[in-house]
Amino acid sequence: MKLGVLISGRGSNLQAIAAAIACGALPAEIALVLSNRPQAPGLEWARQQGLAICALPSAGREREDYDREAVARLRGAGVELVCLAGYMRLLSGYFVAAFPHRILNIHPSLLPAFPGLDAQQQALDYGVKFSGCTVHFVDDTLDGGPILLQAVVPVLDGDDAAALGARILEQEHRLYPAAIRLVARGAFRLQGRRVLGTNGG
Ligand code: GRF
């Protein structure tokens, strides 16, 4: 399965996906890494790996106009599954419709708790005892599509957002390749909002 990985920053999930492919754990290929921020460290990492990259600055551009160009680039690269990995932009309806049930996102909380920015700090401020991460299908709501996989991470007394975020990130790096593998194998079925056949992943 040909992946398009969309990033805006560091790209550690991109690296985890690439590592899973390299060790044979994920039957997929990264066909394009696209960043809306040309300076994203993850884009430079991808370039050094010899991956196909696309820097497509989004600053000041109208959402759908931008998304039309992004979709064209992804299609041009033969992308079959879009993986948002720290991509800090809401997708337009146009983008979502272009890849029906073929867009995934990873979020550092147990959705639907704490969508949006600073999910780790939101979890600490609320006082939950467990947080974690979620891989979900993307629709045109913020962090709102059907949930594919989740992993639970306990919140410890001494945690700040950075410490909690680091432990969540370890789980993200395991969870995202596992979720992509499920989609690549077609090992799930959708029943309304419920994604069945994926638990235990
Ligand atoms: C991750 O915490 C992810 O859950 C969130 O953005 C962060 C991206 O990190 N959507 P990285 O760029 O993959 O290192």
Side-chain angles (χ1 to χ4, degrees):
M1 172 161 276
K2 289 191 170 196
L3 310 179
V5 184
L6 272 54
I7 64 169
S8 298
R10 170 177 65 179
S12 72
N13 278 289
L14 162 67
Q15 293 188 30
I17 293 165
I21 293 170
C23 77
L26 180 57
E29 161 196 345
I30 297 176
L32 188 65
V33 177
L34 184 148
S35 176
N36 68 315
R37 292 191 184 141
Q39 307 309 325
L43 198 61
E44 175 57 19
W45 179 86
R47 194 187 61 74
Q48 286 171 9
Q49 301 302 304
L51 295 170
I53 63 167
C54 172
L56 192 60
S58 60
R61 286 192 62 179
E62 193 271 324
R63 188 177 308 281
E64 186 171 322
D65 172 58
Y66 178 84
D67 280 359
R68 281 183 185 275
E69 191 169 344
V71 165
R73 299 292 185 98
L74 292 163
R75 284 192 173 137
V79 165
E80 298 162 291
L81 178 68
V82 177
C83 302
L84 309 185
Y87 184 65
M88 305 301 283
R89 264 178 86 79
L90 200 59
L91 300 188
S92 64
Y94 172 82
F95 196 136
V96 173
F99 290 95
H101 294 120
R102 284 293 177 274
I103 310 173
L104 301 179
N105 182 42
I106 186 151
H107 183 75
S109 76
L110 295 175
L111 290 170
F114 317 129
L117 292 176
D118 300 323
Q120 303 91 339
Q121 188 62 51
Q122 289 187 57
L124 289 172
D125 291 345
Y126 198 92
V128 293
K129 297 299 183 188
F130 293 92
S131 190
C133 49
T134 302
V135 178
H136 63 93
F137 288 108
V138 172
D139 58 19
D140 55 3
T141 63
L142 178 64
D143 300 325
I147 291 169
L148 196 55
L149 287 179
Q150 292 187 303
V152 175
V153 174
V155 179
L156 306 180
D157 286 352
D159 274 348
D160 58 12
L164 176 60
R167 292 204 314 286
I168 292 174
L169 200 59
E170 274 179 36
Q171 293 303 312
E172 292 186 37
H173 293 164
R174 182 185 64 80
L175 202 68
Y176 213 169
I180 295 167
R181 192 163 50 234
L182 286 171
V183 175
R185 286 188 182 151
F188 70 92
R189 61 190 192 283
L190 268 168
Q191 190 182 84
R193 278 198 56 87
R194 299 184 69 194
V195 183
L196 303 178
T198 68
N199 225 350

